[in-house]
Amino acid sequence: MYSEKVMDHFTNPRNVGEIENADGVGTVGNPKCGDIMRIFLKIDDGIITDVKFKTFGCGAAIATSSMATEMVKGKSIEDALKLTNKAVAEALDGLPAVKMHCSLLAEQALKEALEDYFNKNNIPLPEGFTKPDVEHDED
Amino acid sequence: MERIYLDNAATTRVRPEVAAEVMPIMTETYGNASSVHAFGREAKKALEKARTQVAAAIGAKKEEIFFTAGGSESDNWALKGAAHQLRAKGNHIITTAIEHHAILHTCKALEKEGFVVTYLPVDEYGLVTPEQVEAAITPQTILVSIMMANNEIGTIEPIAEIGAVCKKHGVLFHTDAVQAIGHVPVDVKAMNVDMLSMSGHKFYAPKGVGALYVRTGVRLENLIEGGAQERSRRAGTENLPAIVGMGKAIELITAEQEAENVRLTALRDRLIQGVLEKIPDSRLNGHPTRRLPGNVNISIRFIEGESLLLSLDMVGIAGSSGSACTSGSLDPSHVLLAIGLPHEIAHGSLRLTLGRDNTEQDVDYVLEQLPKIVERLRSMSPLYADYVSNKQ
């Protein structure tokens, strides 16, 4: 059911943990579906220098969290904002259709954390900043 | 790697004595039981022997047993057949909120036809009472269908007492005994059961075969129309290999039931006690004693069922879960919600069901592996992190 990459990221998830005094924290979740993701960001001069996550959820939720953090670590905020759920899913060699909402959750958690960073630092939200709507867009 | 099968409520391994009886039916006694020739007569003899074996196991008469393609067909036939047959008498059906989907979805289909269905709630253990059933009966009630034992949490319902209530009010009573057969002593006459569903693969027979017991005198509209098999009440050439397997399997499990139940109950309780002791913030779902001897269902807070199953599978342990992510829907198990569990706790449920191949070593292996897995998943869980920081 899951690709080898998903199983690899589920078995050996990258960047698990928390960052004390993080510059941005985003928590998203769908209690009905049973997954909650929290992403912590450390940002220096517009670069994501460290990222950690904690996830309560299925194999796909844990794997997408892990992959999303790996894909933005060391990247600029600008590049991180371009990360889409589809890119995360593709990097994992695909997800079963019923699990695509997990990748949306990862994208959403990252954007929540960035929004938190903007708000904390009184930085206006970049033009066109949107967060995916997990509730209504499950595939 | 060692592999331990703890999903016997999903299906079981065909036991060797059963496979040995099934094989010659495929290669030697392969006639059609409806044929006049010797091949057909031999097949017919094997068919009727299996019918006698199934009837004897539940205290029924041979003529009251009808072979089907499994538990789902038996449930569909019992409910649709009775509802359609009795449409002129009334339109009300009583069942419970924790039935198998073969019952619940059939009820939903009947609602679309205009029938009215009452889904009785259950208590925290998953029990429904005869008083609840009696209070729900109206002059329009034509059928009561209540499972003998629940497939997820293993709770055994008071079927004889409910049967007495139905008899008193002259209402037809069906029980889905798919999980109970072989584990719970069944006497359809003493329990006042009018119809009973069973499925062979739950008790070490092949898949794709089941039976519906229909008490003499109970009329049902046919579900499968066609040839004159099963006394013109269920068409289709009989799946003789599987039927013969089911006959042998039910005979064996009934003979061994008492001793095997003692053995399984001890293993079950060892597993339950061990998990509850070793894993903080875990709970048993279902009744502590009124439960199937092989059923363990626990909720482990702050972790999700599918990731638990994947992790167990990696160390060779096969179980199941009521989490949404294993059901293909967004909601966790309707049974766990019906016993009052909040969504996030229902998502962290684990069902391990023991069978005749399982040993004390298997239980101890689970007790060695499971706490490590739970610790790892909890260390990743934001819910656990919040819980720990709130506690301090």
Side-chain angles (χ1 to χ4, degrees):
Chain A
M1 163 185 165
Y2 286 135
S3 71
E4 272 178 39
K5 265 202 183 151
V6 171
M7 288 311 292
D8 174 38
H9 277 262
F10 170 71
T11 318
N12 305 296
R14 283 56 146 179
N15 307 311
V16 176
E18 298 181 12
I19 297 175
E20 261 186 71
N21 306 315
D23 297 308
V25 181
T27 302
V28 295
N30 181 338
K32 264 199 110 179
C33 177
D35 38 27
I36 293 166
M37 283 182 200
R38 185 173 295 161
I39 287 185
F40 303 82
L41 298 175
K42 178 141 185 56
I43 298 175
D44 295 304
D45 295 329
I47 301 292
I48 297 172
T49 53
D50 198 10
V51 51
K52 298 271 187 218
F53 81 89
K54 282 210 164 176
T55 291
F56 159 83
C58 62
I62 289 171
T64 52
S65 309
S66 166
M67 180 55 89
T69 57
E70 200 169 52
M71 289 170 84
V72 299
K73 197 170 179 178
K75 296 277 164 60
S76 66
I77 290 173
E78 209 183 8
D79 284 344
L81 284 169
K82 287 184 199 148
L83 185 79
T84 64
N85 76 302
K86 286 196 171 65
V88 175
E90 274 165 28
L92 287 165
D93 292 339
L95 285 172
V98 293
K99 301 288 186 180
M100 280 305 284
H101 74 273
C102 293
S103 62
L104 266 175
L105 220 58
E107 181 189 337
Q108 197 188 33
L110 178 69
K111 290 188 170 161
E112 288 281 347
L114 287 168
E115 190 179 21
D116 181 48
Y117 166 76
F118 295 140
N119 290 340
K120 274 180 184 160
N121 293 280
N122 296 315
I123 301 170
L125 294 183
E127 211 173 305
F129 179 86
T130 54
K131 290 177 292 186
D133 187 344
V134 174
E135 281 294 328
H136 299 106
D137 187 359
E138 262 130 25
D139 344 87
Chain B
M1 183 177 60
E2 195 185 356
R3 291 205 305 172
I4 298 176
Y5 187 74
L6 289 170
D7 204 9
N8 286 280
T11 193
T12 57
R13 176 185 189 174
V14 172
R15 53 191 293 179
E17 308 95 303
V18 170
E21 295 243 341
V22 169
M23 195 62 188
I25 303 294
M26 295 191 280
T27 56
E28 308 294 331
T29 317
Y30 56 85
N32 185 321
S34 302
S35 299
V36 173
H37 46 63
F39 293 86
R41 290 195 304 274
E42 283 166 16
K44 180 81 175 169
K45 206 175 149 195
L47 176 67
E48 295 313 315
K49 182 184 169 194
R51 200 184 309 280
T52 304
Q53 289 167 316
V54 171
I58 61 169
K61 289 180 282 183
K62 178 175 171 295
E63 313 80 64
E64 295 174 315
I65 303 299
F66 297 88
F67 291 114
T68 66
S72 292
E73 186 194 324
S74 296
D75 285 346
N76 269 262
W77 184 18
L79 268 56
K80 290 176 181 166
H84 294 161
Q85 187 74 37
L86 299 171
R87 204 194 297 258
K89 267 186 80 181
N91 69 343
H92 182 227
I93 298 165
I94 298 169
T95 186
T96 76
I98 62 165
E99 298 296 311
H100 189 274
H101 286 131
I103 294 291
L104 291 179
H105 291 173
T106 302
C107 285
K108 292 289 169 205
L110 287 168
E111 283 178 27
K112 283 188 191 149
E113 294 179 27
F115 290 94
V116 177
V117 182
T118 298
Y119 301 91
L120 294 174
V122 294
D123 71 6
E124 61 180 308
Y125 298 117
L127 280 170
V128 64
T129 65
E131 291 76 21
Q132 278 177 281
V133 175
E134 186 153 35
I137 293 175
T138 74
Q140 285 294 310
T141 308
I142 50 173
L143 174 67
V144 171
S145 177
I146 293 175
M147 65 192 346
M148 193 170 286
N150 184 268
N151 49 310
E152 292 188 36
I153 57 175
T155 302
I156 299 169
E157 303 295 344
I159 291 303
E161 292 81 354
I162 294 168
V165 165
C166 293
K167 190 182 182 189
K168 179 176 148 196
H169 291 271
V171 176
L172 209 55
F173 180 37
H174 166 256
T175 185
D176 173 353
V178 165
Q179 293 289 336
I181 292 294
H183 306 296
V184 178
V186 177
D187 182 332
V188 287
K189 304 294 182 236
M191 291 172 150
N192 283 303
V193 168
D194 297 306
M195 295 183 282
L196 176 148
S197 302
M198 70 171 78
S199 174
H201 75 106
K202 304 294 189 186
F203 50 86
Y204 314 106
K207 293 157 187 66
V209 66
L212 183 67
Y213 150 79
V214 184
R215 184 197 287 276
T216 303
V218 172
R219 294 184 61 198
L220 295 179
E221 187 184 280
N222 285 356
L223 184 71
I224 311 280
E225 300 286 1
Q229 293 88 358
E230 300 297 284
R231 306 209 327 280
S232 295
R233 296 180 75 171
R234 197 282 187 182
T237 298
E238 302 84 355
N239 179 2
L240 196 61
I243 289 171
V244 165
M246 184 163 77
K248 180 70 178 175
I250 203 168
E251 185 181 85
L252 289 169
I253 201 166
T254 306
E256 296 164 359
Q257 185 167 280
E258 221 176 298
E260 180 64 357
N261 278 1
V262 170
R263 191 187 76 88
L264 284 176
T265 302
L267 288 183
R268 175 195 79 189
D269 291 344
R270 183 186 180 92
L271 183 51
I272 292 170
Q273 287 314 317
V275 170
L276 297 182
E277 270 166 32
K278 284 169 186 260
I279 301 175
D281 299 300
S282 61
R283 56 156 279 159
L284 176 70
N285 297 319
H287 198 279
T289 53
R290 273 192 76 101
R291 74 185 298 135
L292 290 173
N295 176 289
V296 175
N297 188 311
I298 46 176
S299 279
I300 302 174
R301 288 181 70 190
F302 317 116
I303 61 175
E304 191 279 331
E306 192 215 65
S307 48
L308 187 55
L309 292 187
L310 289 172
S311 305
L312 284 168
D313 186 47
M314 280 187 241
V315 295
I317 300 168
S320 77
S321 170
S323 103
C325 282
T326 58
S327 69
S329 77
L330 287 182
D331 279 321
S333 140
H334 64 285
V335 176
L336 298 177
L337 296 181
I339 62 170
L341 292 194
H343 274 73
E344 67 269 25
I345 295 182
H347 282 302
S349 79
L350 174 66
R351 183 187 72 175
L352 300 172
T353 42
L354 300 148
R356 59 188 295 274
D357 289 334
N358 294 120
T359 63
E360 203 166 278
Q361 284 74 25
D362 295 346
V363 168
D364 291 344
Y365 181 68
V366 173
L367 291 176
E368 179 199 318
Q369 296 294 331
L370 186 60
K372 289 190 273 188
I373 290 167
V374 170
E375 200 181 318
R376 183 182 102 88
L377 291 172
R378 278 184 174 168
S379 75
M380 280 195 255
S381 167
L383 292 177
Y384 190 63
D386 292 348
Y387 173 74
V388 170
S389 72
N390 284 341
K391 238 172 138 178
Q392 282 163 358

